[in-house]
């Protein structure tokens, strides 16, 4: 689907403990205050079928899947999320804000686990075709800080957090490389500061890039 009447698709990306869920809630409230209808969603998940796949990905032992199988599962969940949630919302004219999207697969399964970019691009094409986010906000912070924050709210979803710190360093570098390759679509925001400061930086970026 390439037709977007008035809605926009904004994705928030970053490593563990970057504060994405807090910032998604803030961005949603701010966009609603500017008169937009907003659908806030997340990946993996964001629709009943995709939430079922999420459980397979974020729970259980680290060695459960290899990088390629993970990429396949993330793209299966993504296809279902797009079809059931994202595309219908954009069609209604909603602004859709998603906590993670395909850049997470390139950063985690690509840079983190070594899955080739060629495979990522093929899977992207199958699952989403020419569809792309209008804006991607990458929340950047040192992995030590992020992992400490994530551990403080640890539930059963520990599969990725249990990976070694070097894996998380590659993920962070991966997100920064994505932003460098696609500066028109991506903006990097320092996520070490106060919640209000980060929320303002995100709102400013949305205003500047999308005229919200
Ligand atoms: P969350 O903690 O932000 O909800 O994300 C769940 C985990 O899934 C997180 O550790 C990152 C990981 N993930 C990937 O590895 N690849 C992906 O494509 C996505 C969307 C998430």
């Amino acid at each position: 689907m390439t037709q977007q009447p008035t809605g926009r698709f904004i994705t928030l990306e970053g490593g563990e403990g970057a504060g994405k869920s807090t910032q998604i809630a803030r961005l949603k409230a701010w966009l609603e205050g500017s008169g937009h209808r907003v659908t806030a969603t997340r990946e993996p998940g964001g629709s009943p079928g995709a939430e079922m796949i999420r459980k397979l990905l974020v729970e259980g032992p680290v060695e459960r899947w290899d990088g390629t199988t993970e990429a396949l599962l993330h793209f299966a969940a993504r296809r279902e999320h797009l079809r059931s949630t994202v595309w219908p919302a954009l069609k209604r004219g909603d602004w859709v804000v998603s906590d993670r999207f395909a850049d997470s697969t390139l950063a985690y399964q690509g840079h983190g686990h070594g899955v080739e970019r060629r495979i990522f691009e093929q899977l992207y094409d199958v699952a989403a075709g020419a569809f792309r986010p209008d804006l991607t906000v990458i929340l950047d912070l040192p992995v030590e800080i992020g992992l400490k924050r994530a551990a403080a709210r640890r539930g059963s979803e520990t599969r990725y957090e249990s990976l070694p710190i070097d894996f998380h360093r590659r993920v962070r570098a991966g997100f920064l490389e994505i932003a460098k390759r696609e500066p028109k679509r991506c903006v990097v925001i320092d996520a070490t500061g106060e919640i209000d400061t980060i929320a303002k930086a995100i709102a400013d970026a949305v205003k500047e890039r999308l005229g919200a």
Side-chain angles (χ1 to χ4, degrees):
M1 171 188 134
T2 47
Q3 285 293 310
Q4 293 171 27
T6 51
R8 295 282 187 280
F9 183 45
I10 302 171
T11 59
L12 255 72
E13 298 278 9
E16 306 301 311
K20 288 180 289 86
S21 17
T22 307
Q23 293 300 335
I24 285 274
R26 295 289 294 260
L27 179 57
K28 180 175 193 281
W30 180 77
L31 284 169
E32 283 171 346
S34 311
H36 300 291
R37 266 206 332 251
V38 180
T39 293
T41 185
R42 71 166 180 181
E43 288 202 350
S47 72
E51 289 290 333
M52 287 162 75
I53 302 173
R54 177 187 177 93
K55 276 182 83 67
L56 300 174
L57 281 159
V58 299
E59 296 183 2
V62 171
E63 63 282 4
R64 179 178 261 180
W65 318 110
D66 75 352
T68 304
T69 309
E70 270 184 24
L72 286 160
L73 286 167
H74 277 294
F75 270 108
R78 182 159 301 129
R79 167 83 193 166
E80 171 51 25
H81 177 223
L82 287 170
R83 206 180 59 84
S84 300
T85 304
V86 177
W87 288 340
L90 288 171
K91 213 168 178 184
R92 289 193 302 269
D94 284 17
W95 284 50
V96 178
V97 289
S98 185
D99 183 338
R100 296 194 185 281
F101 188 62
D103 295 317
S104 281
T105 310
L106 190 53
Y108 280 77
Q109 282 67 51
H111 292 262
H113 281 314
V115 174
E116 284 175 39
R117 172 178 281 273
R118 179 181 57 85
I119 292 177
F120 166 82
E121 284 169 359
Q122 285 172 347
L123 295 178
Y124 192 109
D125 190 45
V126 171
F131 180 75
R132 297 280 180 284
D134 294 293
L135 175 67
T136 295
V137 175
I138 295 172
L139 295 179
D140 180 60
L141 86 171
V143 295
E144 292 82 357
I145 300 175
L147 286 170
K148 212 179 269 175
R149 280 193 198 165
R153 46 135 227 261
R154 197 186 285 272
S156 59
E157 299 191 337
T158 56
R159 208 172 144 257
Y160 286 96
E161 279 171 46
S162 341
L163 284 157
I165 195 146
D166 277 354
F167 173 88
H168 293 284
R169 292 206 173 100
R170 289 196 297 278
V171 169
R172 183 187 188 195
F175 279 125
L176 295 176
E177 196 187 306
I178 291 166
K180 229 170 160 181
R181 281 176 75 114
E182 291 185 72
K184 272 203 174 136
R185 173 173 68 85
C186 300
V187 58
V188 178
I189 288 175
D190 177 3
T192 55
E194 296 291 321
I195 288 173
D196 285 350
T197 314
I198 300 166
K200 184 173 182 308
I202 295 174
D204 286 349
V206 173
K207 236 186 287 180
E208 190 194 309
R209 306 272 185 125
L210 303 180

